[in-house]
Amino acid sequence: MEVSYREEGVASAASSVAGRLVADGVPSRLAGGDPTLWGEDAEAEAAVRLGWLTLPRSSRELLPTLGGLAGRARAEGLTNVVLAGMGGSSLAAQVICDTADVPLTVLDTTDPGQVRRALTDQLEATVVVVASKSGSTLETGCLLRIYERLFADAGLPPRIVVVTDPGSRLERLAVESGYDLVLASPDVGGRYSALSAFGLVPAALAGADVERLLDDAEEVLPLLSRDTGNPGLDLGAALGGAALAGRDKLVLEDQLTAINGLPDWIEQLVAESTGKRGRGILPVVNAYPNGTGDELVVAIESDGGDVRVDGPLGAQFLVWEYATAIAALLLDVDPFDQPNVAESKESTTALLDLPDLPTGAPAFVDGPVEVYGSATAKDLPGLFVELLRAIPDDGYLAVMAYLDRLAAFDAPMPEGADFEQMTDAWMMADPATLRALLALRTDRPVTFGWGPRFLHSTGQYHKGGPQNGVFLQITGVVGEDVAVPGSSYTLGRLQLAQALGDLAALETRGRPAVRLHLTDRAAGVARLLAAAQEA
């Protein structure tokens, strides 16, 4: 595992802060699990959140259980592994499986269309991993009830594996229902849980080599107490030192690396850990650097960047966790809490109790797109120009899409299309393409998040970090909805309530925020992309 500095300014800033950290004994104190590092206010939380430091060894106790679960699943022909989990309960497992090239269906959404795709896929061969640290995650609970009903209606036994903390309501439900149950380490927070049961159970069921993952992490573990030759210290000093010097936009590059999707996991880890008290580091994923003075470009096993991080996936997980804890220390924030995440949850709950969701009246309509919010523009190209101009000199634009992120694959293809033509068709039907088109028109960072997944990730940074964001939310009409057994609402109503609840939380901070509602999803996406090119 190696962290190398490629730019003199980064090396200088990192050296300066690393010297202070070493003088305070931080490397050995952190490796030893000292909860006093982040100050008196954070000590109580840190005291029960540092178990991730020993997971490369302690998680080996799970290997016999994981082998048994995977063996039984194969024997029963359960080859379709579905993971119902949000944020830290899903992101690491997805990276592990994508890197190992083993199939895993991740349901970290409330979009009815995306959920229906999973529900109609190989039910007789399906095993569902239901993962929630608290055991009370709203989205996960809904998906569990939906799958329970689906298995019952099909006359199949419920093939469900539960991963949760000891003492949660989900543990009690699993015991009462006779589900397979794997208890996670209670002293590990969700976004630091990559090497815990949350990352390992679904990955093992899908066929990934989780023992090797732990081997690679354990190999780097002894280095984390060192004052020199410590990749976690080197990376943390670079992240924190750069942020203190005003370079607080973390552009993550991973072209041509054998590790697939790690920036999405890093995004949650860094944004949710550092984005509070008006401070933080903003990860920027799937974007090219703009060359501005507030960027820090980190390359993961790829050329270029101000910093390069090389090493296998298990080691990457551990080193990034350690580095993020170091960066939070330098920024004087608690890396283990998420004080603003609850705002959107509370707003959503209040909205679901209303007879009708308060969507309001659109400011204007542009074809299949309704525009809600305060805007002086009269069409979408004008609106995009207005939002881009509203970004502060040190700010960013966040695009947040509460849509089906697989819908682009339904795009019609030209007869006899080759792969390049198919890729072009997919891109022009994908809401995520809007990020790239808007990024061409500004030198400020443009981020993209799928809702409600980002609420368990960058949602903390949006509300608790520097108040310099501009927000563009996208929702869409629901065609065929999905009922939630035992609830008075459907997934479609829940999805819209989550969007409206988050928008309300953002608007209280006085930042520009606009909602675009697609009255026809496919046509609406096409209009958005065309308008972005006209802007």
Side-chain angles (χ1 to χ4, degrees):
M1 187 77 198
E2 183 180 2
V3 174
S4 52
Y5 304 146
R6 302 298 188 86
E7 198 264 339
E8 185 176 343
V10 172
S12 176
S15 176
S16 175
V17 297
R20 299 203 312 266
L21 293 168
V22 168
D24 291 339
V26 169
S28 60
R29 290 171 62 194
L30 176 53
D34 183 351
T36 66
L37 280 171
W38 298 273
E40 186 176 342
D41 291 343
E43 183 176 346
E45 182 77 14
V48 293
R49 287 292 178 264
L50 289 167
W52 52 272
L53 288 158
T54 59
L55 286 176
R57 293 171 182 155
S58 62
S59 284
R60 293 184 183 279
E61 299 172 3
L62 293 172
L63 292 176
T65 298
L66 299 181
L69 286 172
R72 289 201 304 276
R74 285 193 298 270
E76 296 175 20
L78 303 180
T79 56
N80 182 41
V81 183
V82 175
L83 170 58
M86 303 298 298
S89 297
S90 63
L91 286 167
Q94 184 158 24
V95 176
I96 296 167
C97 291
D98 286 349
T99 299
D101 196 23
V102 295
L104 176 70
T105 297
V106 177
L107 282 184
D108 53 1
T109 181
T110 50
D111 184 82
Q114 191 171 337
V115 171
R116 289 184 69 84
R117 292 171 189 273
L119 298 178
T120 56
D121 185 26
Q122 310 173 67
L123 183 62
E124 292 187 356
T126 295
V127 56
V128 182
V129 181
V130 178
S132 168
K133 179 176 175 62
S134 67
S136 59
T137 307
L138 176 61
E139 302 93 332
T140 307
C142 291
L143 293 169
L144 170 59
R145 297 198 297 276
I146 289 168
Y147 263 103
E148 286 177 327
R149 175 68 57 83
L150 187 67
F151 282 127
D153 289 348
L156 294 171
R159 284 83 165 251
I160 294 171
V161 179
V162 168
V163 183
T164 189
D165 274 7
S168 76
R169 80 169 67 161
L170 188 54
E171 180 195 8
R172 294 192 296 273
L173 186 150
V175 172
E176 293 167 1
S177 303
Y179 300 152
D180 286 311
L181 172 66
V182 182
L183 293 176
S185 304
D187 58 349
V188 178
R191 56 190 176 274
Y192 292 81
S193 64
L195 298 172
S196 77
F198 288 104
L200 302 184
V201 170
L205 281 168
D209 185 350
V210 296
E211 185 171 8
R212 179 178 177 182
L213 196 75
L214 295 176
D215 290 343
D216 291 337
E218 188 169 8
E219 189 172 335
V220 80
L221 191 59
L223 305 179
L224 299 184
S225 60
R226 296 184 181 179
D227 293 342
T228 59
N230 179 339
L233 176 64
D234 293 342
L235 180 57
L239 298 177
L244 290 174
R247 300 175 66 171
D248 60 352
K249 311 302 188 299
L250 173 62
V251 181
L252 295 163
E253 292 189 341
D254 66 337
Q255 292 88 354
L256 304 179
T257 174
I259 299 174
N260 196 339
L262 187 61
D264 286 334
W265 175 82
I266 294 171
E267 180 182 45
Q268 184 207 16
L269 174 70
V270 173
E272 198 169 41
S273 296
T274 68
K276 53 203 79 169
R277 299 179 63 186
R279 305 166 199 163
I281 298 170
L282 175 68
V284 185
V285 178
N286 296 323
Y288 293 106
N290 287 314
T292 55
D294 59 349
E295 287 181 340
L296 175 71
V297 183
V298 175
I300 301 166
E301 293 216 318
S302 57
D303 292 331
D306 305 311
V307 180
R308 176 167 173 159
V309 185
D310 291 285
L313 180 56
Q316 292 270 2
F317 280 143
L318 187 61
V319 165
W320 276 98
E321 288 166 348
Y322 184 104
T324 300
I326 290 286
L329 173 61
L330 292 169
L331 292 173
D332 192 25
V333 296
D334 181 351
F336 307 116
D337 69 350
Q338 47 281 331
N340 302 104
V341 169
E343 290 181 48
S344 296
K345 294 180 182 178
E346 292 166 358
S347 296
T348 297
T349 301
L351 289 170
L352 286 172
D353 289 337
L354 298 176
D356 297 297
L357 296 179
T359 55
F364 66 88
V365 177
D366 187 328
V369 182
E370 297 175 342
V371 178
Y372 295 83
S374 55
T376 60
K378 301 302 180 185
D379 59 16
L380 283 172
L383 176 69
F384 290 151
V385 169
E386 188 175 314
L387 290 173
L388 292 170
R389 288 176 177 170
I391 305 173
D393 291 343
D394 62 344
Y396 65 99
L397 171 64
V399 182
M400 308 164 294
Y402 289 79
L403 299 169
D404 177 355
R405 62 179 176 268
L406 300 179
F409 295 114
D410 296 333
M413 293 292 160
E415 186 175 350
D418 58 23
F419 183 72
E420 184 176 348
Q421 291 171 315
M422 292 171 67
T423 301
D424 289 343
W426 289 330
M427 285 185 60
M428 295 316 296
D430 188 351
T433 302
L434 182 63
R435 190 216 65 78
L437 293 175
L438 294 176
L440 291 173
R441 287 154 176 77
T442 179
D443 65 355
R444 303 311 308 148
V446 181
T447 65
F448 185 92
W450 292 104
R453 181 172 83 169
F454 78 85
L455 294 178
H456 301 258
S457 176
T458 51
Q460 169 61 42
Y461 182 94
H462 290 167
K463 302 174 207 48
Q467 295 305 308
N468 54 12
V470 174
F471 301 95
L472 178 61
Q473 185 186 88
I474 309 171
T475 58
V477 66
V478 171
E480 198 168 357
D481 213 336
V482 176
V484 179
S487 298
S488 59
Y489 51 82
T490 62
L491 283 186
R493 179 177 167 87
L494 172 58
Q495 182 185 41
L496 183 56
Q498 289 177 310
L500 296 175
D502 189 48
L503 196 63
L506 294 171
E507 288 173 340
T508 61
R509 287 162 170 77
R511 300 307 312 162
V514 173
R515 180 171 71 95
L516 309 181
H517 186 69
L518 313 183
T519 54
D520 178 308
R521 290 199 179 197
V525 170
R527 178 58 191 140
L528 293 182
L529 301 188
Q533 295 175 81
E534 297 167 20

